[in-house]
Amino acid sequence: MKEEENYWTERYVEKKTGWDIGYPSTPIKTYVDQLQNKALQILIPGAGNAYEAEYLWKAGFKNVHILDISEVPLKAFKKRNPDFPEANMHQANFFEFKGQYDLIIEQTFFCSFVPTDTNRKQYAKHMASLLQPNGKLVGLWFDIPLTGDMIKRPFGGNKELYTKYLSPYFKTITFDQCYNSIPPRQGNELFGIFQVR
């Protein structure tokens, strides 16, 4: 996994972060805005610069955790949010990370892995293991063709493909073309809410 850490660290250091929009994405912000329970245990894996976590934290959610394989974006996040607890920042490999959460926010994280059948099955299984009973996995998946280019991340997929991996562990509450994507991503994102089985 050191290879993965090096890959992402290099992307951040060289500022090859085309996926980074610089603010919380509208679909996730809209979802967060209707959450009533500020005590929810929330995890954002593959958080990167974690604008969604910053938004949640400033909105009064005190149990927000961010996870990334590279320390570069975590350091940048801490600089922007000096009062954010160190204990809630995790530099780790997602597949080895342990914990129990009420809500996991997915910001196209699934699409960051090399899209092997093994990786994608493992993602779904591990996501489910990180959730409390009735916990939810909520967020965005890219609705773009999966190319054969293994270098060019993020990778794509479609609703049918993602559902195949998620359905053994999750029941679908909603999973549709995102109506409020930011303009450059219009028509290229799916918004999903899944509850652990």
Side-chain angles (χ1 to χ4, degrees), residues 105-175:
I105 292 179
E106 160 65 63
Q107 172 58 285
T108 61
F109 176 53
F110 184 101
C111 303
S112 69
F113 301 113
V114 175
T116 63
D117 190 48
T118 304
N119 279 351
R120 292 188 154 189
K121 276 181 180 160
Q122 194 55 37
Y123 161 97
K125 186 179 182 182
H126 197 57
M127 276 293 185
S129 77
L130 290 168
L131 285 164
Q132 309 267 22
N134 299 319
K136 288 178 182 163
L137 170 63
V138 175
L140 297 168
W141 285 258
F142 279 129
D143 189 17
I144 51 178
L146 179 56
T147 69
D149 187 344
M150 291 299 103
I151 312 297
K152 196 173 184 313
R153 305 188 196 196
F155 301 107
N158 58 42
K159 185 176 174 176
E160 192 185 353
L161 181 78
Y162 300 138
T163 305
K164 180 183 94 169
Y165 290 107
L166 294 169
S167 61
Y169 306 98
F170 293 91
K171 54 184 183 216
T172 304
I173 296 171
T174 184
F175 196 31

Side-chain angles (χ1 to χ4, degrees), residues 25-28 30-31 140 177-182 186 189 191:
S25 72
T26 313
I28 292 175
T30 304
Y31 177 79
L140 297 168
Q177 187 70 240
C178 194
Y179 74 91
N180 57 353
S181 295
I182 61 164
Q186 205 69 50
E189 287 179 317
F191 179 79

Side-chain angles (χ1 to χ4, degrees), residues 61-124:
F61 291 85
K62 294 303 172 204
N63 299 314
V64 181
H65 291 253
I66 58 175
L67 165 67
D68 205 277
I69 202 164
S70 171
E71 71 172 0
V72 176
L74 295 175
K75 280 183 170 172
F77 177 87
K78 186 65 176 166
K79 206 170 173 181
R80 295 195 322 267
N81 301 279
D83 58 339
F84 191 87
E86 291 276 351
N88 292 18
M89 299 174 65
H90 312 278
Q91 186 200 351
N93 169 5
F94 164 75
F95 294 110
E96 292 163 4
F97 184 70
K98 305 243 185 310
Q100 284 287 280
Y101 300 91
D102 303 302
L103 172 65
I104 297 179
I105 292 179
E106 160 65 63
Q107 172 58 285
T108 61
F109 176 53
F110 184 101
C111 303
S112 69
F113 301 113
V114 175
T116 63
D117 190 48
T118 304
N119 279 351
R120 292 188 154 189
K121 276 181 180 160
Q122 194 55 37
Y123 161 97

Side-chain angles (χ1 to χ4, degrees), residues 1-17 19 48-49 68-75 91-92 153:
M1 259 348 234
K2 192 70 187 163
E3 200 180 302
E4 284 289 287
E5 183 187 335
N6 293 344
Y7 172 85
W8 291 108
T9 295
E10 196 176 294
R11 292 283 297 256
Y12 283 106
V13 168
E14 294 178 4
K15 300 205 175 356
K16 291 182 182 167
T17 52
W19 67 85
N49 284 309
D68 205 277
I69 202 164
S70 171
E71 71 172 0
V72 176
L74 295 175
K75 280 183 170 172
Q91 186 200 351
R153 305 188 196 196

